[in-house]
Amino acid sequence: MYTLTSGVKADPMVASTYSDLKLGHKYKFILYKLTENYTKIVLDETSVEESYDQFLAKLPENDGRYAVYDFGFTTADGKRNKLVFVSWVPDTAKVRAKMLYASSKDAIKKELEGIQVEIQATEKSELEWDVVLEKAQRF
């Protein structure tokens, strides 16, 4: 396990599931969460579901999550994919959760090498397809 700056530890499954998505394209997205006692970041869920709306629906209304989404889109040059890291911490989350998700974000990102786009969101409008597409096309 890796200790993060907040003292929260990342379970080894964080890196291994990310590797499965990045190298093996085994998943469309991965969700990670803090355990109930806020001591560890663990795998919450993986999905092969292609629908971006399904991904958004998996983000809880009152709690944080980290997510990696394999974002596919088409440009004039053809099809492209970007690995998007999302730090989801809604305003309705508990104060302690907000603080720990924020303080652990940079350290978990170090475990997820190759992330191309990062989005920090507190409401779903910040994760709309067009918003993410605009960020993905910059890189």
Side-chain angles (χ1 to χ4, degrees):
M1 281 191 243
Y2 306 98
T3 302
L4 308 178
T5 56
S6 61
V8 173
K9 296 178 189 274
D11 188 88
M13 287 294 292
V14 169
S16 66
T17 54
Y18 173 70
S19 180
D20 288 344
L21 182 149
K22 179 182 172 186
L23 302 175
H25 302 284
K26 189 173 178 180
Y27 311 114
K28 186 66 176 173
F29 65 85
I30 304 169
L31 297 177
Y32 302 105
K33 68 178 182 177
L34 288 170
T35 55
E36 286 185 30
N37 61 3
Y38 301 111
T39 59
K40 192 187 306 185
I41 296 173
V42 296
L43 175 66
D44 182 32
E45 182 176 346
T46 61
S47 180
V48 296
E49 174 63 50
E50 292 287 329
S51 166
Y52 189 72
D53 290 336
Q54 287 294 326
F55 164 67
L56 293 179
K58 297 286 186 177
L59 298 174
E61 293 296 323
N62 298 312
D63 199 9
R65 290 292 184 275
Y66 298 117
V68 178
Y69 189 87
D70 187 2
F71 190 81
F73 58 99
T74 304
T75 68
D77 298 328
K79 291 186 177 188
R80 312 259 337 247
N81 279 66
K82 300 286 182 176
L83 295 177
V84 177
F85 174 79
V86 174
S87 176
W88 168 251
V89 187
D91 289 333
T92 55
K94 294 178 183 175
V95 173
R96 185 170 184 203
K98 288 181 193 180
M99 290 174 21
L100 286 168
Y101 273 97
S103 63
S104 301
K105 181 185 74 160
D106 287 338
I108 189 176
K109 279 180 29 190
K110 289 178 186 174
E111 301 301 320
L112 308 175
E113 291 184 31
I115 292 293
Q116 297 154 312
V117 179
E118 178 187 341
I119 298 174
Q120 186 170 325
T122 58
E123 56 186 55
K124 299 247 174 124
S125 66
E126 296 170 302
L127 292 172
E128 289 178 0
W129 178 267
D130 291 340
V131 173
V132 178
L133 178 61
E134 180 184 330
K135 290 184 179 197
Q137 288 177 329
R138 290 185 202 160
F139 299 96

